[in-house]
Amino acid sequence: MPNPISVLIVEDNKAFANSLKETIEAVPDMHWMATYHRGEDCMSQMKSDPRLRPDVILLDLHLPGRDGLNFIPLFKQMTPQSKIIILTQDDTHTHTLEAIKLGVSGYLLKNISISEIWTIIREVHQGGCIIDSRLSRIVLDALTSPSAPAENPLSEREQQVLEQLAMGYLKKEIADNLELSQHTINRYTENLYKKLQVSNVAAAVASAIRKGII
């Protein structure tokens, strides 16, 4: 049996942090490692204890002292193997895109269900990238921004397909919307995934943001 997924929590709301801990401890394939209510305290402990290197970090954005965005690059330097999932109430355009650019593997709103938390931790641990579906409007706004650079590797059609995938449309619906065959939509999807070197729409959106395409 593989080792359980070790999870570290950085969250200043003690009730929510405790709820996350209980959620993680409720399943055998996950292991709660530690909880910190300040990012500075977590970094200090990581510096003194090299064993504190979790598989997944659940990170709040709004922390006392320095906010969560400041700690993303520090965590990535200190424990590069750790996957970072933002769990926040913040659904602003700026913070969402900035967190993705900094390399987080997930950006989720706090009112997701317990089963969703389990699923997302597992998917991120396996290399996936998850963006809360309720943030699709923010993603779409970024995708359609006029500031997109000229070196965008996606064709106009591939960009249109990615936009509609980000909005949650099924491939059949996209085919109807764009008046194309589903086979053609499948081909555009495969092409854009290949160009962005990803395997799913959330990862495609995150990759496009990180590469400055959107």
Side-chain angles (χ1 to χ4, degrees), residues 89-194:
Q89 294 175 337
D90 191 334
D91 60 358
T92 61
H93 174 102
T94 304
H95 287 160
T96 304
L97 299 187
E98 184 61 26
I100 294 170
K101 288 177 182 177
L102 288 171
V104 301
S105 297
Y107 194 104
L108 309 166
L109 300 180
K110 281 185 175 179
N111 56 348
I112 62 173
S113 69
I114 289 175
S115 61
E116 285 178 304
I117 292 176
W118 291 331
T119 298
I120 289 161
I121 289 174
R122 291 174 183 128
E123 287 191 23
V124 164
H125 181 244
Q126 293 297 319
C129 181
I130 308 297
I131 302 172
D132 197 303
S133 60
R134 289 163 292 180
L135 299 172
S136 61
R137 172 53 57 182
I138 292 174
V139 170
L140 181 61
D141 288 344
L143 281 165
T144 57
S145 170
S147 62
E151 61 269 20
N152 184 347
L154 302 182
S155 69
E156 182 178 353
R157 277 299 195 191
E158 289 163 355
Q159 185 94 2
Q160 289 173 340
V161 171
L162 181 54
E163 289 172 14
Q164 299 215 13
L165 286 169
M167 292 177 68
Y169 287 112
L170 300 175
K171 290 179 182 178
K172 183 180 184 304
E173 294 172 321
I174 297 172
D176 292 339
N177 293 341
L178 298 181
E179 298 182 342
L180 298 169
S181 71
Q182 190 168 343
H183 173 76
T184 300
I185 297 302
N186 288 337
R187 179 163 52 81
Y188 281 133
T189 303
E190 290 173 6
N191 287 344
L192 72 89
Y193 285 174
K194 187 178 298 182

Side-chain angles (χ1 to χ4, degrees), residues 9 11-23 58 60 87-88 109-112 117:
I9 300 166
E11 166 62 58
D12 68 320
N13 184 315
K14 294 182 180 180
F16 185 66
N18 190 57
S19 176
L20 287 175
K21 175 187 174 183
E22 292 176 353
T23 296
L58 300 181
D60 186 19
L87 267 176
T88 183
L109 300 180
K110 281 185 175 179
N111 56 348
I112 62 173
I117 292 176

